[in-house]
């Protein structure tokens, strides 16, 4: 009897653990496949999507089920089945049987507007209805090249003679799958843990599929898509939606006895940050049941031509709570002769509406990729992949994974490195790179073309040469050795610098370094003028702005994360500073009205003046504070995540005298900076800094506080740390100072409303910079700029004032760094 009971229990466990597969193809009535259609078990969140060919596969335990087939724009279909074995179940979906209904409306009122007003009233309710939830996500990402222009193909053949035609290039260029756990806490806390990752052609890479970037919530007023735009997009049920949209009721239909309204979303202005397409709203509850919306180039998206967003909502708790069960973001692009498309397809299931989060759950790592996530074999993916692969995807995996086994083999890597490491004559011009990838070792030496060739009045023609050596270890620690050499032909002065750094605890951002140098430096160690710009202005315009001295010394630093959001660094260096004089007066264009200034910034008209040679020890103690700091953890390697709170910096500098000529002073400095997102009004950025020399016994000009000024037509692209028209050394101080930098980036909010101009991608920016020191009551400047000219150029008109008097004005050209 006991044996019978044991056998019965064993068989029960086997049967309960057994699963069968339902598979099939989802098409329309014309037998055309419906890609990314949703399939789920009614009353649950167990489900999947079809692939691009309309094929699906769903694993279930034996039992009776109602299988729901759903696709945006088509009528839902439900099939009842008894599952006792593997089963093929195809589904043919019909177009929505929409019909215009009779609605009691006020004279002249659009019936779609009535529905949208109700949906707007319920927007906040549905936005906050679910306070917490967790779910599982599966994301497949694919990008492919479909066409290459003839001119681009000619260029490719010239660059690589092994390529004969486009067939070897066209096709899938990125294919990846990932499975993650996604956690949410109202109103905005998010955490994502990637459990498994597969990238076609690479066993070492991690997928960049992430639901945090695909979780477009249309109950929010504004939808962020930072990958393609620096301005948010207006939801069709935004509280001010009627300013941006018109609506048309296309009809209604019934699903599960509930009426669904199909509404066309129409932008009032094509260039506004708005969607076009269809939104489905359930009658009486006024909830969104699905969306099929798109953006185009007219909406000022970058990198791609079109973006399509499809979402399907299903009930996850009775009929009271509906959440996305599938989401698809598709895109197409044309770029420099390349044409292609792609998508990110997401399945969401296993929702838990009552997760038990502890207080620290969202306070540390917001993105985690587990160690070994990219080590899952093909058997794992065959067992766990919810969406069948298409023939194209199978072919791509077979081809690239077989190639990867070869190219990732250590012997193959060594053979390729040996071949590439052979020195060739062209390396003299183009530079030389030495790699031992199996040992994570790399050495980079620039060629003659990369060597810096500049001119200044101190060194005359001068050459600079840099090199870099890096070694990385399996525990993410790294050593880096870099150096530079420099020679001035007029003053016959050699210079060099050697810098060694050791990152030995990545999770604590801990590193140590040593620097030894004897080389010329600018008095302002922020290097406000680049050598190239100075060369041009000196040789052609007779303006020798760069002022130099020679610094010889040795220094060490140590930095670490002291606590969460608190980073500290200490620098100790011994320096010997030597004055330099002008040694060259060569010109290409001579302006008789101009004379070169001396190399002494304090006495520009006295050619024989300079400071006295000195030395000493300087200690810097830096602290940086970032409130509510979060992290990314990529397989054990940590990185800082951006914080939405202001960042604070503190500096204490002490010069310790070693003789009666050494610098001897103390400086305290404080800074605060932040970026404030203002929705459709753009982004406000500011940087406030101030400092006070609490004790000054002996100082030299290079120890003063210098400000990043500019006297050229080329703007300093570090806009929030520099002035646009301030002379380089006029207001340098050894007493106290306060500076303020700010910019308002409207991101097209104003220009987008001006006819003709709104068709361009340019965006407006205004800025204000101010400086107060013991040498002036105030200096300030106002700038009005246009950015994104040809995608990356920025032009500003600037007016500056000093002590209530206009100091200067002019145009500056720089570069945008938004994309």
């Amino acid at each position: 009897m006991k044996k019978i009971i044991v056998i019965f229990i064993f068989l029960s466990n086997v049967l309960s653990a057994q699963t069968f597969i339902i598979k099939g193809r989802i098409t329309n009535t014309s037998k055309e496949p419906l890609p990314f259609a949703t399939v789920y078990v009614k009353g649950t969140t167990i489900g999947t999507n079809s692939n691009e060919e309309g094929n699906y596969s769903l694993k279930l335990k034996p039992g009776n089920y109602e299988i729901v087939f759903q696709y945006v724009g088509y009528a839902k279909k439900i099939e009842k089945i008894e599952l006792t074995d593997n089963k093929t179940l195809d589904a043919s979906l019909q177009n929505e049987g929409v019909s215009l209904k009779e609605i009691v409306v006020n004279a002249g009122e659009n019936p779609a507007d009535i529905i949208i007003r109700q949906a707007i009233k319920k927007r906040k309710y549905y936005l906050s209805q679910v306070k917490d939830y967790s779910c599982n996500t599966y994301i497949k990402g694919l990008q492919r090249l479909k066409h290459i222009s003839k001119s681009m193909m000619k260029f490719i053949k010239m660059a690589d003679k092994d390529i004969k035609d486009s067939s070897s290039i066209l096709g899938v260029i990125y294919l990846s799958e990932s499975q993650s756990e996604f956690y949410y806490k109202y109103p905005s806390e998010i955490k994502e843990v990637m459990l498994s990752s597969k990238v076609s052609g690479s066993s070492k890479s991690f997928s960049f599929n992430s639901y945090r970037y695909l979780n477009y919530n249309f109950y929010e007023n504004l939808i962020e898509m930072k990958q393609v735009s620096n301005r948010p997009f207006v939801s069709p049920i935004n509280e001010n939606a009627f300013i941006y949209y018109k609506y048309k009721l296309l009809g209604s239909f019934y699903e599960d006895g509930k009426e669904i309204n199909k509404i066309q979303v129409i932008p009032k202005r094509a260039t506004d940050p708005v969607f076009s397409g269809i939104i489905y709203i359930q009658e009486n509850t006024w909830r969104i049941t699905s969306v099929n919306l798109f953006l185009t180039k007219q909406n000022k998206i970058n990198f791609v031509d079109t973006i399509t967003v499809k979402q399907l909502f299903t009930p996850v708790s009775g009929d009271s709570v509906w959440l996305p069960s599938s989401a698809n973001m598709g895109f197409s692009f044309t770029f420099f002769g390349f044409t292609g498309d792609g998508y990110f397809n997401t399945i969401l299931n296993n929702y838990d509406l009552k997760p038990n989060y502890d207080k620290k759950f969202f306070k540390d790592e917001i993105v985690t990729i587990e160690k070994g996530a990219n080590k899952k074999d093909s058997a794992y993916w065959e067992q766990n992949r919810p969406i069948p692969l298409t023939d194209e995807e199978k072919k791509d995996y077979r081809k690239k994974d077989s190639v990867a086994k070869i190219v990732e083999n250590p012997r193959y890597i060594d053979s390729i490195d040996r071949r590439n490491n052979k020195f060739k004559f062209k390396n003299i011009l183009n530079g030389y790179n030495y790699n031992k990838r199996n040992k994570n070792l790399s050495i980079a030496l620039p060629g003659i073309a990369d060597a810096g060739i500049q001119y200044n009045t101190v060194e005359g023609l001068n050459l600079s040469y840099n090199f870099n050596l890096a070694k990385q270890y399996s525990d993410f620690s790294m050593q880096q050795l870099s150096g530079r050499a420099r020679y001035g032909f007029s003053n016959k002065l050699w210079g060099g610098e050697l810098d060694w750094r050791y990152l030995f605890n990545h999770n604590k951002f801990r590193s140590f370094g040593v620097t030894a140098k004897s080389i010329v430096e600018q008095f302002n160690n922020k290097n406000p003028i680049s050598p190239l710009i100075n060369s041009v202005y000196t040789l052609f315009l007779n303006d020798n702005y760069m002022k130099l001295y020679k610094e010889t010394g040795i220094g060490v630093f140590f930095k670490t994360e002291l606590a969460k959001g608190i980073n500290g660094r200490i620098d100790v260096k011994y320096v010997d500073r030597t004055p330099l004089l002008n040694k060259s007066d060569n010109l290409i264009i001579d302006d008789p009205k101009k004379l070169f200034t001396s190399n002494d910034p304090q006495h520009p008209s006295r050619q024989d003046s300079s400071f006295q040679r000195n030395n000493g020890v300087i200690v810097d103690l830096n602290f940086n504070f970032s409130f509510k700091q979060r992290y990314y953890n990529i397989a054990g390697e940590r990185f800082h995540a951006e914080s939405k709170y202001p960042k604070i910096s503190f500096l204490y500098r002490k010069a310790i005298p070693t003789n009666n000529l050494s610098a001897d002073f103390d400086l305290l400095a404080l800074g605060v900076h932040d970026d404030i997102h203002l929705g459709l009004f753009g982004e406000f950025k500011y940087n406030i800094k101030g400092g006070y020399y609490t004790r000054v016994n002996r100082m030299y000009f290079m120890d003063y506080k210098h400000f990043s000024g500019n006297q050229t037509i080329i703007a300093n692209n570090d806009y929030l740390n520099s002035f646009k028209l301030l002379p380089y050394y006029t207001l340098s101080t050894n007493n106290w100072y306060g500076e303020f930098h700010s910019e308002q980036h409207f991101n097209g909010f104003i220009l987008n409303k001006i006819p003709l101009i709104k068709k361009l991608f340019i965006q407006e920016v205004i800025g204000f910079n101010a400086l107060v020191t013991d040498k002036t009551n105030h200096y300030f400047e106002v700038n009005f700029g246009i950015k994104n000219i040809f995608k990356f150029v920025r032009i500003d008109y600037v007016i500056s004032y000093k002590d209530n008097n206009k100091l200067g004005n002019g145009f500056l050209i720089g570069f945008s760094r938004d994309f």
Side-chain angles (χ1 to χ4, degrees):
M1 185 66 179
K2 290 182 178 179
K3 289 183 179 180
I4 295 174
I5 294 173
V6 170
I7 292 171
F8 178 78
I9 293 172
F10 173 76
L11 290 174
S12 298
N13 288 334
V14 169
L15 289 172
S16 64
Q18 188 176 15
T19 60
F20 296 119
I21 297 176
I22 307 173
K23 65 179 181 180
R25 194 163 187 251
I26 307 172
T27 62
N28 60 20
T29 53
S30 300
K31 302 300 181 182
E32 296 171 332
L34 297 179
F36 315 121
T38 299
V39 184
Y40 67 95
V41 177
K42 187 176 180 180
T44 76
T45 60
I46 300 170
T48 185
N49 284 4
S50 63
N51 63 21
E52 276 193 297
E53 297 169 346
N55 296 316
Y56 77 95
S57 176
L58 182 62
K59 291 182 180 180
L60 295 171
K61 293 179 180 181
N64 295 311
Y65 298 98
E66 290 184 273
I67 306 300
V68 181
F69 298 91
Q70 203 165 359
Y71 190 76
V72 176
Y74 287 77
K76 180 192 296 186
K77 186 173 185 178
I78 301 176
E79 294 279 2
K80 294 182 179 180
I81 65 166
E82 180 181 359
L83 191 61
T84 58
D85 200 349
N86 293 335
K87 188 177 184 67
T88 298
L89 182 63
D90 295 332
S92 177
L93 304 187
Q94 296 182 343
N95 286 325
E96 296 158 335
V98 295
S99 60
L100 288 174
K101 57 182 179 179
E102 293 184 6
I103 304 177
V104 178
V105 298
N106 296 324
E109 187 166 11
N110 181 354
D113 292 353
I114 298 174
I115 298 168
I116 292 295
R117 290 188 204 281
Q118 295 295 334
I120 292 173
K121 288 180 182 178
K122 296 285 286 188
R123 182 190 67 82
K124 288 185 178 180
Y125 169 77
Y126 288 121
L127 180 63
S128 61
Q129 181 187 22
V130 180
K131 302 299 183 184
D132 306 317
Y133 73 81
S134 67
C135 67
N136 296 119
T137 68
Y138 165 85
I139 303 176
K140 181 191 291 182
L142 181 143
Q143 287 94 57
R144 62 169 72 88
L145 278 180
K146 302 180 73 174
H147 177 73
I148 303 176
S149 66
K150 290 182 179 180
S151 57
M152 178 54 67
M153 200 62 225
K154 288 181 181 179
F155 178 80
I156 293 173
K157 288 179 180 179
M158 290 174 58
D160 190 340
K161 295 182 179 179
D162 293 332
I163 296 176
K164 303 302 181 184
D165 54 49
S166 62
S167 61
S168 59
I169 304 174
L170 298 179
V172 176
I173 57 176
Y174 173 80
L175 171 61
S176 175
E177 300 172 273
S178 65
Q179 293 176 308
S180 301
E181 293 173 343
F182 188 79
Y183 304 93
Y184 170 81
K185 183 177 180 65
Y186 181 80
S188 59
E189 298 287 2
I190 286 176
K191 182 173 183 176
E192 191 168 10
V193 180
M194 186 177 292
L195 307 175
S196 56
S197 165
K198 182 174 176 62
V199 179
S200 181
S202 177
S203 64
K204 297 180 180 180
S205 300
F206 293 100
S207 170
F208 55 75
N209 302 345
S210 177
Y211 188 60
R212 65 186 288 109
Y213 299 121
L214 301 170
N215 183 24
Y216 308 131
N217 188 345
F218 288 93
Y219 290 117
E220 296 277 2
N221 272 320
L222 300 173
I223 312 300
E224 297 280 356
M225 290 186 171
K226 293 182 179 179
Q227 304 96 318
V228 296
S229 178
N230 59 2
R231 62 178 188 169
F233 296 91
V234 179
S235 167
I237 58 169
N238 180 291
E239 60 188 359
N240 297 311
F242 286 98
I243 297 175
Y244 300 92
Y245 291 105
K246 297 183 293 184
Y247 303 92
K248 181 179 180 181
L249 178 62
L250 299 180
S252 66
F253 56 93
Y254 284 85
E255 281 187 352
D256 300 328
K258 298 179 178 63
E259 187 176 10
I260 308 296
N261 298 294
K262 182 179 182 180
I263 297 175
Q264 184 178 3
V265 176
I266 306 166
K268 287 186 174 180
R269 293 168 295 275
T271 55
D272 274 353
V274 291
F275 296 91
S276 302
I278 307 293
I279 185 169
Y280 296 82
I281 296 175
Q282 193 177 79
E283 187 76 10
N284 297 322
T285 63
W286 313 116
R287 64 163 56 97
I288 298 172
T289 61
S290 61
V291 299
N292 185 1
L293 301 169
F294 64 90
L295 301 166
T296 70
K297 276 288 187 183
Q298 283 187 305
N299 304 118
K300 310 296 178 66
I301 54 177
N302 294 276
F303 311 123
V304 294
D305 298 326
T306 61
I307 291 178
T308 302
V309 177
K310 295 181 180 180
Q311 291 180 347
L312 184 65
F313 292 75
T314 54
V316 298
S317 177
D319 192 52
S320 61
V321 177
W322 290 47
L323 290 172
S325 58
S326 69
N328 182 274
M329 191 274 277
F331 57 88
S332 63
F333 62 88
T334 301
F335 185 75
F336 286 122
F338 295 98
T339 301
D341 62 11
Y343 65 82
F344 289 93
N345 189 36
T346 307
I347 296 174
L348 302 101
N349 53 31
N350 297 327
Y351 277 99
D352 181 359
L353 302 186
K354 295 182 179 179
N356 186 20
Y357 300 138
D358 62 44
K359 292 183 179 179
K360 297 182 179 179
F361 187 77
F362 293 98
K363 293 185 177 181
D364 191 34
E365 295 175 356
I366 58 174
V367 173
T368 300
I369 298 179
E370 290 194 342
K371 290 183 179 180
N374 59 346
K375 304 303 180 186
K376 311 294 185 183
D377 59 18
S378 57
Y380 170 88
W381 285 103
E382 285 293 331
Q383 182 71 19
N384 291 278
R385 176 184 292 120
I387 302 177
L389 296 176
T390 64
D391 291 339
E392 180 185 41
E393 292 161 356
K394 290 176 183 177
K395 180 180 177 181
D396 189 71
Y397 271 138
R398 281 196 302 268
K399 178 182 176 180
K400 291 181 180 175
D401 288 352
S402 61
V403 172
K405 289 179 180 179
I406 298 172
V407 300
E408 292 178 357
N409 184 288
R411 290 185 178 180
Y412 179 84
I413 292 173
D414 278 341
S415 68
I416 296 298
D417 285 346
R418 282 194 300 270
R419 186 179 71 181
N420 293 337
N421 288 339
K422 290 180 180 179
F423 190 85
K424 304 175 184 65
F425 180 78
K426 67 179 182 179
N427 296 135
I428 297 174
L429 179 66
N430 299 332
Y432 175 70
N433 291 291
Y434 178 88
N435 291 290
K436 293 286 288 184
R437 285 176 289 166
N438 285 326
K439 295 184 178 180
N440 294 313
L441 176 66
S442 66
I443 301 173
L445 301 172
I448 295 174
D450 300 313
I453 303 175
Q454 296 107 23
Y455 178 83
N456 61 66
T457 53
V458 173
E459 300 170 290
L461 184 68
N462 61 85
L463 297 176
S464 61
Y465 188 83
N466 304 326
F467 76 90
N468 184 73
L469 183 151
K471 166 71 176 176
Q472 191 165 358
Y473 301 91
S474 59
D475 62 351
F476 306 115
S477 62
M478 183 177 71
Q479 293 192 64
Q480 185 174 15
L481 181 67
S482 59
R484 56 180 176 140
R486 186 182 182 104
Y487 180 72
F489 285 90
S490 291
N491 64 356
K492 298 178 173 58
L493 182 66
W494 281 97
E497 180 176 13
L498 200 61
D499 182 83
W500 172 76
R501 295 169 183 249
Y502 179 38
L503 173 63
F504 58 92
N505 186 335
H506 204 287
N507 286 337
K508 285 293 184 181
F509 309 97
R510 192 168 292 165
S511 60
F512 172 79
V514 179
T515 300
K517 68 177 180 179
S518 180
I519 200 166
V520 296
E521 299 282 10
Q522 294 191 47
F523 280 88
N524 184 346
N525 61 10
K526 301 299 183 183
N527 298 322
I529 183 167
S530 77
L532 176 61
I533 294 173
N534 181 74
S535 300
V536 172
Y537 267 78
T538 302
L539 292 171
F540 291 91
L541 301 174
N542 301 188
D543 292 316
N544 58 326
Y545 292 127
M546 185 179 286
K547 307 303 176 185
L548 304 167
Y549 71 98
K550 182 180 179 182
E551 181 171 286
T552 302
I554 186 169
V556 297
F557 80 86
F558 173 76
K559 69 175 184 177
T560 186
E561 185 178 60
L562 300 170
K564 183 181 175 182
I566 304 176
N567 292 279
R569 172 171 173 152
I570 183 169
D571 291 77
V572 181
K573 63 180 181 179
Y574 171 81
V575 292
D576 181 280
R577 286 90 69 98
T578 304
L580 300 172
L581 299 175
N582 286 342
K583 293 294 183 179
S584 177
D585 58 1
N586 293 323
L587 294 165
I588 293 177
I589 297 177
D590 185 11
D591 184 349
K593 298 179 182 179
K594 285 186 179 179
L595 294 175
F596 284 142
T597 57
S598 76
N599 191 47
D600 184 350
Q602 292 179 294
H603 307 96
S605 61
R606 293 165 50 185
Q607 297 294 334
D608 59 346
S609 67
S610 190
F611 64 89
Q612 191 171 9
R613 180 176 177 178
N614 63 86
N615 55 40
V617 175
I618 297 177
V619 179
D620 280 0
L621 190 61
N622 283 276
F623 295 98
N624 292 290
F625 303 89
S626 182
F627 299 102
K628 294 190 176 182
Q629 180 66 63
R630 311 291 174 85
Y631 307 92
Y632 301 122
N633 186 328
I634 312 300
E637 190 174 8
R638 266 189 158 197
F639 302 91
H640 285 119
E642 281 296 317
S643 172
K644 62 181 179 180
Y645 299 96
K647 292 84 177 172
I648 299 175
S649 61
F650 170 81
L651 166 68
Y652 171 60
R653 175 172 294 162
K654 184 173 183 62
I656 303 173
T658 57
N659 55 51
N660 58 3
L661 292 178
S662 298
D664 183 10
F665 64 87
D666 292 270
L667 167 67
L668 291 175
L670 189 68
V672 181
H673 69 277
D674 194 17
D675 297 350
I676 302 173
H677 297 276
L678 302 174
L680 295 175
F681 294 98
E683 185 179 15
F684 178 69
K685 305 179 181 183
Y686 70 86
N687 189 6
I688 305 172
K689 296 186 282 187
Y692 175 55
Y693 287 88
T694 59
R695 186 182 62 86
V696 177
N697 186 28
R698 191 179 303 107
M699 284 185 69
Y700 297 91
F701 194 62
M702 65 284 297
D703 299 317
Y704 281 41
K705 171 60 182 178
H706 303 294
F707 307 98
S708 292
N710 182 45
Q711 293 175 251
T712 73
I713 196 174
I714 306 299
N716 186 330
N717 289 321
D718 191 1
Y719 290 100
L720 288 178
N721 277 298
S722 61
F723 294 91
K724 295 172 175 59
L725 295 180
L726 178 70
Y728 294 111
Y729 295 105
T730 301
L731 297 182
S732 299
T733 181
N734 62 348
N735 195 335
W736 61 269
Y737 67 92
E739 57 181 307
F740 176 77
H741 305 273
S742 65
E743 287 192 335
Q744 172 64 41
H745 294 254
F746 289 99
N747 297 340
F749 181 78
I750 299 172
L751 294 181
N752 198 51
K753 296 173 175 59
I754 302 176
L756 298 180
I757 291 178
K758 68 181 181 180
K759 294 183 178 181
L760 305 175
F761 271 73
I762 60 175
Q763 297 179 343
E764 62 279 29
V765 56
I766 61 172
F768 177 79
N769 300 312
L771 174 65
V772 291
T773 74
D774 61 298
K775 294 188 176 183
T776 181
N777 289 331
H778 61 261
Y779 167 88
F780 69 89
E781 53 191 30
V782 180
N783 63 282
F784 307 88
I786 301 295
K787 64 178 184 177
N788 288 358
I789 303 170
F790 307 117
K791 293 291 187 181
F792 61 89
V793 176
R794 170 173 164 172
I795 296 177
D796 287 271
Y797 177 71
V798 191
I799 306 173
S800 63
Y801 296 85
K802 181 175 180 291
D803 296 334
N804 295 322
N805 296 312
K806 183 177 178 181
L807 186 63
N809 65 288
F811 287 93
L812 273 71
I813 185 169
F815 299 95
S816 302
R817 297 190 296 180
D818 294 327
F819 294 99

